[in-house]
Amino acid sequence: MTKTGLFISFEGIDGAGKSTHIDGLAAAFKAQGRQVTLTREPGGTPLAEKLREMVLHDAMDSLTEALLIFAARRDHLHHVIEPALARGDVVLCDRFTDATFAYQGSGRGFDLGVLQQLEQWVQAIPADAVSPSSNGLRQPDVTVWFELDPAIAAVRLAGARVPDRFEAQPVEFFQKVSDGYAARAQADAQRFVRLDAAQTREAVWQQLHQNFVQRGWLSET
Ligand SMILES: Nc1ncnc2c1ncn2[C@@H]1O[C@H](COP(=O)(O)OP(=O)(O)OP(=O)(O)O)[C@@H](O)[C@H]1O
Ligand SMILES: Cc1cn([C@H]2C[C@H](O)[C@@H](COP(=O)(O)O)O2)c(=O)[nH]c1=O
């Protein structure tokens, strides 16, 4: 049973600024004496990283894409996330299932009912290992959502790297993804922390850090 582990996911459209802050957060937790597992989706295990390469670069239909993402998630949960939580680590995960509902569901228009079914299969855990509010599924304790206008994200990412299958999508796609995140945040307001990611890096960091200080997870300095 997980007693002290903390599962935190980071979400937002491509270029919203997640990666900019996750390392700093890991350092802040380590400075408090916590063990940190820093990981990402799709990915986080050798098998899941292979699946990531396919999902990001190979042409495929929407069902294949959803299945590969959930297959990667299953391997990741089994080999990395669950053992880390059982040890009591702070797990910082760059994206988790909210990304699937936002990108595959809202962005691609894939059937949300099928995604919910896959979520039930992949994230089911023993009843004594989760709080009653999680419906018997492994979910993050907190999800930090970097909300950013897709037009600003496009400017930030322009010319930064060769775009993958998602980064190559037009602003309209990312607006749908963003709407998907907004729907997830509204449906699970207790779990979500919304950050205004249009602010400066320092201001975004302050929003994030202050929230975790208020929760008693980090100290002021
Ligand atoms: N608050 C900010 N203001 C301006 N630029 C920023 C800000 N935060 C991050 N950036 C820059 O925007 C770009 C994207 O940031 P970052 O890689 O952290 O985003 P991300 O959410 O991790 O993206 P992806 O999901 O595509 O990996 C980087 O060049 C980064 O330096
Ligand atoms: C978990 C997850 C991710 N994606 C997409 C979102 C991003 O475009 C890429 C991952 O790239 P990043 O630089 O690591 O953010 O994958 C998705 O479509 N569905 C998912 O469930």
Side-chain angles (χ1 to χ4, degrees):
M1 176 172 173
T2 301
K3 286 200 168 72
T4 53
L6 198 52
F7 183 16
I8 306 171
S9 64
F10 299 85
E11 298 284 0
I13 59 172
D14 287 76
K18 300 179 301 325
S19 315
T20 299
H21 296 291
I22 294 177
D23 284 347
L25 207 51
F29 274 110
K30 284 179 189 167
Q32 310 251 143
R34 295 296 299 255
Q35 294 290 323
V36 174
T37 292
L38 193 53
T39 189
R40 68 173 181 181
E41 290 213 346
T45 68
L47 173 59
E49 290 290 332
K50 286 183 198 166
L51 296 174
R52 176 190 174 92
E53 281 305 303
M54 295 177 196
V55 168
L56 264 53
H57 300 293
D58 296 349
M60 62 189 71
D61 71 13
S62 297
L63 175 57
T64 307
E65 185 175 286
L67 290 170
L68 291 182
I69 286 170
F70 271 107
R73 183 161 298 136
R74 177 69 186 176
D75 197 58
H76 189 210
L77 276 165
H78 187 62
H79 290 292
V80 174
I81 295 177
E82 293 298 346
L85 292 174
R87 285 194 302 270
D89 284 15
V90 176
V91 176
L92 303 180
C93 191
D94 191 344
R95 302 188 183 280
F96 195 62
T97 308
D98 296 301
T100 317
F101 282 89
Y103 278 78
Q104 281 62 52
S106 191
R108 299 256 195 249
F110 187 70
D111 190 326
L112 296 179
V114 175
L115 296 183
Q116 279 161 358
Q117 181 64 70
L118 291 168
E119 181 185 37
Q120 295 283 332
W121 286 337
V122 167
Q123 291 165 231
I125 51 176
D128 67 345
V130 284
S131 65
S133 61
S134 66
N135 296 327
L137 297 181
R138 174 61 69 199
Q139 300 286 11
D141 297 299
V142 162
T143 295
V144 181
W145 173 33
F146 290 72
E147 189 184 20
L148 185 65
D149 182 335
I152 301 177
V155 171
R156 287 187 186 173
L157 285 181
R161 54 195 174 212
V162 179
D164 61 37
R165 284 175 68 236
F166 297 101
E167 291 164 345
Q169 293 290 325
V171 164
E172 293 72 28
F173 174 82
F174 288 106
Q175 187 56 58
K176 287 191 263 181
V177 173
S178 196
D179 293 346
Y181 277 126
R184 297 285 289 177
Q186 192 176 17
D188 202 351
Q190 289 275 82
R191 174 165 65 86
F192 272 78
V193 174
R194 177 196 164 277
L195 302 184
D196 176 2
Q199 295 187 18
T200 63
R201 290 176 182 81
E202 180 57 27
V204 174
W205 170 255
Q206 284 305 326
Q207 293 178 63
L208 178 57
H209 188 258
Q210 270 309 306
N211 186 284
F212 283 16
V213 168
Q214 279 161 17
R215 291 171 189 273
W217 292 348
L218 294 176
S219 61
E220 281 285 354
T221 51

